[in-house]
Every structure is written in C-alpha cells, then in structure tokens.
Amino acid sequence: MATDEIAHIRREQPSPAAARLAARQGLGDRTDTIATSQGFRNRKWRDWRMFLFTGGLVVTSPEGYLAAYDWRTVRVLQFRRQDGLSCQALIDPQSNALDIGFGRIPLFQSAKAALGVSSWTNGAPFLYPNSWGDGIQDAVTRAQLPSTLERIEVGETVAFGPYSLNKDRVWDKEYGCSWSEIVEIFCRDGSFYLNGTQRRSQAPRSEVIERIPNLHLLMNACIELSPNVNTFGRLGRRQ
C-alpha cells in the first residue's frame, strides 16, 4: 500500500479565519485536510490547504487567499489528463473560479465566458486529486440532485454548460431530442455522450468533460429523466 505523503497533515485543524468562514457558511464538521507535496521543489504551494467539511470546503493560502465553497451552490469543472491525473475548477455563486489539482483546465477565454466565469485563479496542486475530485463531484450531486429534479419537474429549464434540460427533452445549440429517445449516457476518452435510439438521432452532440459544470450531477439527472436508458457510466470509467 502506498504511503500517504500528507498523513501528518490530515488531522490539521483550519486556521481561525478558515474556521469562522466555514461556520458562517454552515459547512458542518471538518472531515479531512489536503495539502500539496511538502518537498523543497514544491515550496511555493506547500502551505496551501484545502479543508473538507460535510457541507463543502475551504481553501487557504499563506498569501491570504481564503474561499469557501458550499456543495449546494458550487459549480465544478473537471479535467482528467492523459496520465490519469486530474484537476478541478471550483466556481462560486459570484462566478469566481479556482483551479486546483494537477495541471490546468484547458479552456480558452471564450469558453470561460460561455460558462459565466468572471475571474480565474490558478491554485495549488493538491495531492490525490482523483480521490478528492470524484469526492467533490459526488458530494455536489448528493446536495443538488433533489432540487435540480424538482426544478425540472415544475417546468424550469436547467443548464449544464452546453446542455439544457427540461422535463420533456435535452438539447444543445444544434440538436435536441425527447428523453424517451436516449438509451446510452456515459463518459469515454474525456468526453460525455448522450446516444439516441434512432440511426439518425437528434440527440445532442458529445462534449469534452471540462466544459461541463457538475458533470456527475448532469449524468445522474439525465439517467433519472431517461426512461429507456440502458447504458451509463461514471466519469473516468472506460466503457
């Protein structure tokens, strides 16, 4: 079993400022503390911390960066590199994005603007991004799926980047179809797919996952709304 490089940091408590912010946001109890590699080569980032709570997370830096993210309101972008490692961008309700993990999400300014991002900060390469990254996506899904489905049920349209959903259909800027036509929902080779039953299906086109906020939430919502879906898979699992 691999050694946890930050085992001695896992029990570290939030700074007073981080604790106050978490309490003010109602994030609940701390569950973990994540840091970067503590080696000399990583000295720029080694005092950054990500404090995970039952209801969200707080990121801090020694230079004064301090931000909280609530599972109920945050939008999350994820990019998985060819070597299997990943990074995340956390977008708060004010549309400020923080990129953390290994690497940077490859989005041009136009793509960021399409997502409504007003500012972008490159943060720390926190260790074990696949573990906490999928954990964040799943926590967001648990927090937001019930209200998302309720909004759709009462007639609202909910957007996930290039995709729009209502209770009858799903569409992008070029194609759209009814939920009854969708039979496959999955991710493969860094892209998200909605496949229809018809040979010339009007199902929306595939899209790279880094352009889709809250991907796990989108997948679960689509599965709930598609009565004929028979194939689906989670982010990062090859089909």
Side-chain angles (χ1 to χ4, degrees):
M1 184 175 179
T3 300
D4 184 351
E5 186 177 340
I6 55 172
H8 62 294
I9 294 174
R10 296 281 195 173
R11 293 186 294 275
E12 185 177 301
Q13 295 298 314
S15 66
R20 286 193 298 270
L21 179 59
R24 191 161 62 245
Q25 297 288 332
L27 300 186
D29 297 328
R30 186 193 67 88
T31 59
D32 203 356
T33 300
I34 308 295
T36 69
S37 173
Q38 298 297 289
F40 178 78
R41 293 179 61 183
N42 213 39
R43 60 191 181 279
K44 175 182 178 182
W45 303 109
R46 60 189 177 191
D47 291 327
W48 279 64
R49 294 291 185 269
M50 177 166 60
F51 300 102
L52 295 169
F53 297 84
T54 54
L57 65 87
V58 173
V59 177
T60 69
S61 82
E63 293 80 23
Y65 189 90
L66 178 64
Y69 303 89
D70 189 319
W71 301 147
R72 296 168 297 182
T73 58
V74 68
R75 290 185 295 154
V76 185
L77 302 176
Q78 187 167 18
F79 174 65
R80 201 172 292 265
R81 307 185 324 191
Q82 289 186 341
D83 62 8
L85 296 174
S86 64
C87 59
Q88 311 268 337
L90 309 173
I91 308 172
D92 67 19
Q94 291 73 46
S95 299
N96 304 303
L98 173 67
D99 193 323
I100 53 177
F102 286 14
R104 301 301 178 202
I105 295 181
L107 292 178
F108 290 114
Q109 191 60 42
S110 58
K112 294 175 182 177
L115 291 167
V117 173
S118 59
S119 71
W120 189 280
T121 300
N122 289 327
F126 290 115
L127 287 173
Y128 316 124
N130 292 3
S131 176
W132 54 257
D134 282 348
I136 288 172
Q137 288 272 0
D138 289 342
V140 167
T141 300
R142 289 192 297 271
Q144 297 188 29
L145 182 60
S147 61
T148 298
L149 293 175
E150 287 174 8
R151 290 170 58 196
I152 291 172
E153 179 61 29
V154 299
E156 286 190 42
T157 294
V158 178
F160 291 85
Y163 300 107
S164 295
L165 289 60
N166 65 22
K167 62 182 179 180
D168 299 313
R169 60 197 302 269
V170 55
W171 67 95
D172 59 17
K173 64 181 181 181
E174 295 186 52
Y175 298 99
C177 68
S178 67
W179 289 113
S180 60
E181 185 179 329
I182 300 296
V183 295
E184 294 181 320
I185 300 170
F186 61 93
C187 290
R188 183 172 61 206
D189 299 330
S191 293
F192 171 71
Y193 294 84
L194 290 165
N195 287 345
T197 57
Q198 301 177 22
R199 187 172 185 179
R200 294 181 179 273
S201 173
Q202 292 297 301
R205 290 184 174 182
S206 63
E207 182 59 87
V208 292
I209 63 174
E210 59 266 26
R211 292 174 180 258
I212 304 172
N214 295 348
L215 177 62
H216 288 194
L217 175 60
L218 169 64
M219 292 184 71
N220 279 272
C222 289
I223 290 166
E224 290 289 335
L225 293 164
S226 302
N228 299 320
V229 65
N230 56 43
T231 300
F232 56 89
R234 287 186 55 192
L235 171 67
R237 308 297 194 267
R238 291 182 179 271
Q239 306 301 307

